[in-house]
Amino acid sequence: QVQLVESGGALVQAGDSLRLSCVVSGRPYRNYVAGWFRRAPGKEREFVSAIRATGETGYADSVKGRFTISRDSAKATVYLQMSSLKPEDTAVYYCAVGLPSSLLRIPRGYDYWGQGTQVTVSS
């Protein structure tokens, strides 16, 4: 019923920009926390960014100043605008949705996850 579908992943060069999109269907919650996580080869899943219905946002130190998260309620879509991409940003990016009370940075606080979209940044 509830589905999250990511799109926008691509192969780009260092310094390029890219925008990821996540369409949320099935109305999981009225006001939900939407987050982006990523898993790089050989590494554990890590927090990237998240946003609440109030507009409050959070970012990992590694992407702060380069990535921007936003949401369009009318389209039920969450975006992740990425700029100044680095090779270390290479990973599968996942979007997720959780209860409004969830802490932004904790994966277990999210109830629904997308299948992921691959972002590869060459040097």
Side-chain angles (χ1 to χ4, degrees):
Q1 186 175 357
V2 175
Q3 293 187 59
L4 279 65
V5 181
E6 305 98 330
S7 63
L11 170 62
V12 300
Q13 294 187 334
D16 285 354
S17 296
L18 199 61
R19 188 177 78 162
L20 304 183
S21 298
C22 175
V23 178
V24 182
S25 63
R27 296 185 176 85
Y29 309 105
R30 185 181 78 255
N31 298 310
Y32 57 82
V33 171
W36 286 95
F37 293 79
R38 67 186 182 187
R39 187 191 297 278
K43 295 186 177 182
E44 295 295 318
R45 176 180 54 186
E46 67 172 347
F47 169 80
V48 176
S49 184
I51 185 170
R52 296 187 186 279
T54 59
E56 177 191 1
T57 60
Y59 297 91
D61 290 339
S62 60
V63 306
K64 193 172 299 181
R66 299 189 298 120
F67 291 11
T68 300
I69 189 171
S70 62
R71 63 195 298 171
D72 185 330
S73 297
K75 296 182 178 180
T77 303
V78 183
Y79 304 95
L80 183 66
Q81 178 64 52
M82 307 181 291
S83 62
S84 300
L85 285 164
K86 306 174 180 179
E88 48 262 48
D89 292 318
T90 295
V92 175
Y93 284 71
Y94 302 88
C95 64
V97 170
L99 288 167
S101 60
S102 300
L103 295 178
L104 301 181
R105 301 169 179 270
I106 304 177
R108 286 188 175 276
Y110 294 82
D111 304 300
Y112 304 100
W113 295 79
Q115 292 298 303
T117 185
Q118 178 71 48
V119 173
T120 302
V121 185
S122 63
S123 60

